[in-house]
Amino acid sequence: MRQFSLIPIKTRDEVEIKQLLAAIHAKRDQVAEMTLALEDLKLEVRCFEKEYNARMTQLYMELDKADLMTKEYRLRLRLLQEGIPLDSPELEARVEACFRPERERLSSHEGEANREGKALEESNKRSLPPEQMKQLRVIYLKLAKIYHPDKARSGDALGKRKQMMTMINRAYEDRDFQTLELMSVEVVPEVESTKETSRERKQRLTQELNRLMRG
């Protein structure tokens, strides 16, 4: 007698659930990629702003110094016209007393500019090697797909996901590979409810896909 093996036949709901899951995963990948691209763009803008501000601060410092030197030169000329010799201690004492507050202000601003310059240098030193940067992007995409606010199903979940994405984005901006890797290890996979019927699961997945499409 000939034996036949039974081939499991998927129901229409199961087929639609598989299609929904594929669409949701594809949409999550797209959202994560767009989120990463947005963070990269924000990071470039912030780096540009920091460098621009540091450069403009330096230029304004140079202008202020030149302005102060001009004022001091004019005062020396006036004191010379009053008959005070150029090499007289009195002349330099009067110039120093006249412009002491402005010199102190410039010195203070110069100190702040130097500290900002060092902070910018330290920020640039945090750049990672290409291979590690590639790994950082992979971990970021994984976390973005899991914690993106579009995946939230309730108000409380939305708030928590926004907090998590803020931490993830900050770690990515700081090139904090260790923190992102730790967050990735601690991720707990989402467990599907075993009490859901196929129709309920299909309805939930459809709603989730609609939320992602609206985002």
Side-chain angles (χ1 to χ4, degrees):
M1 184 176 177
R2 212 171 160 188
Q3 292 183 345
F4 295 92
S5 59
L6 295 176
I7 301 175
I9 299 176
K10 292 184 177 180
T11 65
R12 182 176 177 180
D13 282 344
E14 289 174 332
V15 172
E16 290 180 358
I17 285 172
K18 185 176 181 180
Q19 293 173 343
L20 283 168
L21 284 171
I24 287 171
H25 290 155
K27 189 62 181 178
R28 285 178 184 167
D29 287 342
Q30 183 183 5
V31 169
E33 287 283 358
M34 291 174 65
T35 304
L36 177 58
L38 180 61
E39 285 306 308
D40 279 339
L41 183 60
K42 287 180 179 178
L43 183 59
E44 289 180 12
V45 170
R46 284 190 285 267
C47 288
F48 173 79
E49 287 178 343
K50 288 179 181 178
E51 292 180 4
Y52 174 82
N53 290 335
R55 182 58 181 161
M56 291 303 297
T57 299
Q58 187 63 35
L59 290 174
Y60 279 122
M61 284 290 304
E62 295 299 326
L63 284 174
D64 287 343
K65 285 181 180 179
D67 184 57
L68 179 58
M69 289 175 65
T70 301
K71 292 177 180 177
E72 290 178 345
Y73 177 76
R74 289 175 178 169
L75 178 58
R76 286 188 179 93
L77 283 178
R78 197 181 73 193
L79 294 175
L80 283 171
Q81 292 172 355
E82 293 177 0
I84 301 176
L86 183 61
D87 57 353
S88 169
E90 180 187 355
L91 186 141
E92 288 304 320
R94 291 180 62 177
V95 171
E96 196 278 334
C98 182
F99 295 105
R100 183 184 299 119
E102 198 162 346
R103 283 180 177 177
E104 291 176 351
R105 179 182 60 83
L106 277 176
S107 178
S108 175
H109 288 177
E110 190 170 19
E112 291 178 7
N114 289 337
R115 285 190 291 273
E116 290 176 1
K118 288 180 180 179
L120 185 59
E121 288 179 7
E122 289 298 321
S123 178
N124 292 334
K125 286 179 182 177
R126 287 200 296 265
S127 298
L128 299 175
E131 185 60 31
Q132 200 170 12
M133 191 64 204
K134 183 178 179 181
Q135 294 177 16
L136 187 78
R137 292 171 68 87
V138 170
I139 295 174
Y140 179 90
L141 284 172
K142 175 183 175 182
L143 292 171
K145 284 191 286 186
I146 294 170
Y147 290 111
H148 198 278
D150 286 345
K151 200 181 172 191
R153 297 179 192 168
S154 66
D156 292 340
L158 178 62
K160 291 178 181 177
R161 288 181 183 279
K162 284 183 176 180
Q163 291 178 354
M164 288 298 299
M165 280 306 302
T166 298
M167 293 171 59
I168 293 166
N169 292 339
R170 186 180 298 119
Y172 180 76
E173 178 186 345
D174 292 340
R175 299 296 188 252
D176 191 346
F177 185 86
Q178 185 176 4
T179 296
L180 281 182
E181 194 172 37
L182 181 62
M183 293 174 72
S184 177
V185 170
E186 291 178 347
V187 165
V188 179
E190 188 172 338
V191 179
E192 300 291 347
S193 174
T194 56
K195 295 181 180 180
E196 279 184 324
T197 65
S198 294
R199 188 171 296 277
E200 289 171 341
R201 188 182 183 196
K202 186 176 71 172
Q203 183 179 5
R204 177 176 59 78
L205 292 174
T206 301
Q207 291 173 348
E208 182 172 348
L209 180 59
N210 288 336
R211 281 196 297 270
L212 289 168
M213 295 298 292
R214 287 196 298 271

